[in-house]
Amino acid sequence: MSEEQPKFLTALSSFFPIFLLLVIDFFAFGLQPQPNTISHLALGVLTAQLICLIAFIKGEICNGQRSRLGQVNLYFGLFWMVWLLFSLGTSYHHVFMDLVCLCGLAMTIITWKQPFEVKLRHRLLKTAGFIGMLGVISYCLMLVAEENFIQFNPVAQILLGIILANLALVISRNRLKGFIALLMLAAIAFLALNALFVCVNLFLLSQQSAVVFTNEFALLLYLLLHFVMVAMLAIHVFKKWALSYNSLLILLLMTASLPLWANFAYLP
């Protein structure tokens, strides 16, 4: 009984963040004025998988940590399966979105069943990295023609990926403390970069007569969330605290909600 309970809790703690992302993502999709089957968070999930690949390839981890991290990564496949089935089931699905989902699924499968032989494992993991970059390029190609760029903000999605990867390392009880600390600093840097990115885009949008700001309060909340997240991360850095599962889940929720506030803020 004592052995089964941790496995159940690990499965639940791995499933819940992906479930949360899917709920937010499809809610944001429903707010779009025109049918456009593009995920608002797919780039973030791809980023998390690529970061986990760095841990798999460069991290000095034992087979137990490797296996646990691979099992946590398996839940990323749920995100891709749901989006792939949804995309294929719509008449206006985007071919590039299908490709992104397939790339994400391929990465999930490779990281889940890693061979013990070191050279073969590294070769497969590097192949997964190439597939992941192909998925990133495919997603970026979908954004070329997007007018409402803030809701698909790639900088915010990379931030989401950093937090999600950190969450995966915590769930898998990984001991890469230096790498985890580096991810925390990267999250702070991307928070600042995202605030700058959004301010520049808002200035450019304000010069366009086609954009009507319908809810300035939503924009204010969008930017205030950055200060809340910076405060949370700064406290952990100065106090030298490790981010817990609950803290990371709160950060994940705030970051994943950014596309919603961007949708509420203005209508193209």
Side-chain angles (χ1 to χ4, degrees):
M1 184 69 177
S2 60
E3 293 182 0
E4 292 297 325
Q5 190 175 3
K7 291 181 180 179
F8 171 75
L9 290 176
T10 300
L12 184 62
S13 59
S14 302
F15 167 79
F16 186 69
I18 301 302
F19 173 76
L20 189 66
L21 292 182
L22 283 169
V23 171
I24 294 174
D25 207 1
F26 278 102
F27 183 63
F29 170 78
L31 293 175
Q32 293 180 119
Q34 295 179 350
N36 199 355
T37 315
I38 303 177
S39 167
H40 291 74
L41 306 176
L43 181 60
V45 179
L46 280 176
T47 302
Q49 290 181 277
L50 287 170
I51 293 173
C52 286
L53 274 178
I54 296 174
F56 281 127
I57 297 173
K58 298 295 185 179
E60 296 182 1
I61 55 179
C62 64
N63 289 332
Q65 295 177 63
R66 184 177 298 277
S67 176
R68 290 194 299 269
L69 186 57
Q71 290 174 5
V72 174
N73 271 243
L74 183 61
Y75 287 86
F76 293 148
L78 175 64
F79 181 91
W80 300 120
M81 280 297 299
V82 171
W83 259 105
L84 180 61
L85 292 174
F86 177 77
S87 180
L88 292 175
T90 56
S91 58
Y92 45 85
H93 77 275
H94 208 301
V95 176
F96 279 126
M97 188 64 213
D98 299 339
L99 181 58
V100 169
C101 293
L102 291 174
C103 289
L105 278 173
M107 293 176 69
T108 302
I109 294 171
I110 293 174
T111 54
W112 177 42
K113 291 294 185 181
Q114 297 181 35
F116 290 104
E117 204 276 312
V118 177
K119 289 185 178 179
L120 177 60
R121 182 175 67 218
H122 279 199
R123 192 177 302 119
L124 286 173
L125 290 175
K126 288 178 181 178
T127 302
F130 174 79
I131 294 172
M133 290 308 300
L134 178 62
V136 170
I137 294 170
S138 300
Y139 186 86
C140 291
L141 288 174
M142 289 190 293
L143 301 185
V144 172
E146 280 296 324
E147 294 181 1
N148 191 348
F149 197 59
I150 294 179
Q151 67 169 323
F152 297 103
N153 186 346
V155 180
Q157 290 196 60
I158 293 173
L159 172 63
L160 175 72
I162 293 171
I163 296 171
L164 187 58
N166 202 332
L167 196 56
L169 291 169
V170 169
I171 294 171
S172 61
R173 303 187 298 281
N174 218 283
R175 297 187 184 92
L176 297 173
K177 293 182 180 180
F179 186 59
I180 292 174
L182 186 62
L183 289 180
M184 194 184 304
L185 294 176
I188 295 175
F190 271 92
L191 267 170
L193 184 61
N194 187 59
L196 178 62
F197 177 86
V198 170
C199 288
V200 170
N201 274 272
L202 287 176
F203 174 77
L204 294 175
L205 287 171
S206 65
Q207 307 303 308
Q208 301 176 15
S209 59
V211 177
V212 179
F213 290 88
T214 58
N215 193 344
E216 290 81 1
F217 183 68
L219 287 175
L220 179 62
L221 282 176
Y222 187 104
L223 296 174
L224 281 177
L225 281 175
H226 287 67
F227 291 103
V228 176
M229 287 188 278
V230 166
M232 286 184 63
L233 290 168
I235 289 173
H236 282 79
V237 170
F238 291 135
K239 295 289 186 179
K240 296 182 179 180
W241 294 340
L243 284 166
S244 65
Y245 175 83
N246 291 334
S247 298
L248 286 166
L249 200 60
I250 293 171
L251 288 169
L252 185 76
L253 176 61
M254 288 191 288
T255 310
S257 69
L258 292 178
L260 297 179
W261 298 114
N263 269 289
F264 293 144
Y266 69 92
L267 295 174

